[in-house]
Amino acid sequence: MANPGFVWLAAGLLVTKSHDGSAQGDTPAEAVNRWGGETFQHYKQLYQSAEAAAAGKCLPGTILTSAYQLLLERAPDPSWAGIVPGFRHLTPGELAAYDPEGLHSHGWFYTTFITEGRLYLQWLMSQLRTAGCAVEQRQVASVQELAPAFDVVVNCAGLGARELVGDSSMFPVRGHVLRVRAPWIRHYVNSQCLDGECYIIPNTDTVVIGGTVQKGDSDTTPRGEERAGILDRACRVLPSLEAAEVVREWVGLRPGRPAVRLELELLPLAGPLEDGRDSIHVVHNYGHGGAGLTLAWGCAADAAALVKEALAAQRQH
């Protein structure tokens, strides 16, 4: 990890990862750090709130964990070191505990949050319904077709932005992960292996291990050789995982882009509407790669500000 970026998320965890099709890329570091810092504070508030254990389901799925980042070579402290609590360099003893083969020469420790998307999204949806929002699910071929019913459209289409708004810079970043039953593992570990990625992330009831970062690969079928490699790398870091039962395996596609797209655009319509409008304001908020949950709240705040800007512009006309 010669150049660690502010890509904190893997399977719901705020972590450091080198960038390949993820959120940072050409996105200004100041923006990424700000979005990530605001999102970190949001998860902290959720963790400390009474809703953290809503209905006994650990909604909204946010838990606190210690993180151990193992590096093949010593690297400069990351730009976010002052944001996460307790950032420091690993002691030799700590490094040895998660590096039985002695492959890593350095490492970091810090405290961070795991936010499980499968739980967090349920909680967000419940917040929307409580606020009186209407939820409709249907296929949309173009942003313009929404103009008659809406004053502003927020485009969070991810990889779908290739077709929806013709963004040819979007690309899939394939990720293959496993979920195992290993209740004795309560800390996050990320290891730089010479033969691939390795991360071990405790969730509320299972542990996620991974993974792969394959730019341009859109195949969502699990591959046996990758599965074997993921398990082998994880067991080399934590040999006790050899006894863990695999309960789920899946492949997802991260919405890769050279940079996050977060901006306001005025798109022309094919013809004027009954109210006289000949264009529609669109707030684009997509292209976050594997850092969607990592940057979500900060990006949402900026997107909401752009919606207000668009509405104010409409009132002036």
Side-chain angles (χ1 to χ4, degrees):
M1 191 176 299
N3 183 24
F6 198 133
V7 184
W8 278 351
L9 185 78
L13 176 75
L14 297 176
V15 300
T16 57
K17 291 172 67 65
S18 55
H19 175 79
D20 184 358
S22 297
Q24 191 163 358
D26 297 331
T27 309
E30 180 278 328
V32 176
N33 282 321
R34 179 172 58 81
W35 294 331
E38 292 173 2
T39 306
F40 188 92
Q41 291 304 313
H42 166 65
Y43 293 145
K44 179 180 178 181
Q45 292 171 2
L46 288 181
Y47 174 76
Q48 294 173 333
S49 74
E51 295 185 77
K57 297 180 181 179
C58 195
L59 294 176
T62 299
I63 60 177
L64 194 66
T65 188
S66 298
Y68 295 83
Q69 179 80 44
L70 311 182
L71 306 175
L72 293 175
E73 298 177 356
R74 191 180 185 96
D77 288 355
S79 59
W80 45 263
I83 297 176
V84 294
F87 179 89
R88 59 176 174 79
H89 295 215
L90 293 179
T91 67
E94 290 170 327
L95 190 62
Y98 291 103
D99 187 20
E101 298 182 0
L103 297 176
H104 304 83
S105 65
H106 197 63
W108 301 326
F109 172 91
Y110 52 95
T111 302
T112 190
F113 292 101
I114 297 168
T115 297
E116 295 185 56
R118 62 194 177 104
L119 300 178
Y120 182 62
L121 289 175
Q122 292 178 43
W123 178 80
L124 285 176
M125 189 63 72
S126 71
Q127 298 297 299
L128 288 173
R129 291 198 169 102
T130 299
C133 294
V135 179
E136 178 183 352
Q137 183 175 350
R138 65 184 173 97
Q139 187 170 353
V140 177
S142 72
V143 171
Q144 286 87 342
E145 75 179 67
L146 300 172
F150 300 97
D151 297 318
V152 182
V153 173
V154 180
N155 170 25
C156 302
L159 278 175
R162 288 182 300 188
E163 291 75 29
L164 186 64
V165 294
D167 190 340
S168 61
S169 70
M170 293 296 300
F171 55 88
V173 183
R174 185 176 182 273
H176 186 168
V177 296
L178 308 175
R179 192 178 290 275
V180 302
R181 204 175 308 283
W184 60 90
I185 294 178
R186 309 309 301 164
H187 304 294
Y188 160 75
V189 182
N190 180 263
S191 166
Q192 284 188 333
C193 296
L194 296 175
D195 55 350
E197 176 85 3
C198 176
Y199 50 81
I200 301 166
I201 304 173
N203 280 192
T204 51
D205 54 359
T206 54
V207 176
V208 174
I209 61 175
T212 64
V213 181
Q214 296 156 307
K215 182 176 177 180
D217 191 336
S218 59
D219 179 15
T220 57
T221 303
R223 299 167 184 165
E225 67 275 14
E226 290 176 353
R227 182 181 195 267
I230 290 169
L231 289 169
D232 176 67
R233 290 190 294 273
C235 290
R236 283 157 56 189
V237 174
L238 285 177
S240 65
L241 281 171
E242 293 181 5
E245 173 193 3
V246 176
V247 296
R248 190 185 171 200
E249 176 180 21
W250 77 99
V251 174
L253 302 179
R254 308 171 182 96
R257 194 174 187 274
V260 172
R261 187 180 187 189
L262 182 43
E263 63 182 356
L264 176 62
E265 183 180 20
L266 189 63
L267 289 180
L269 302 177
L273 301 176
E274 291 183 1
D275 61 8
R277 287 185 295 147
D278 60 2
S279 59
I280 179 73
H281 282 95
V282 181
V283 175
H284 299 288
N285 182 17
Y286 64 87
H288 300 82
L293 283 172
T294 304
L295 307 178
W297 202 257
C299 287
D302 280 12
L306 291 175
V307 169
K308 293 179 181 178
E309 179 183 326
L311 292 174
Q314 292 173 19
R315 285 193 294 268
Q316 292 175 0
H317 292 81

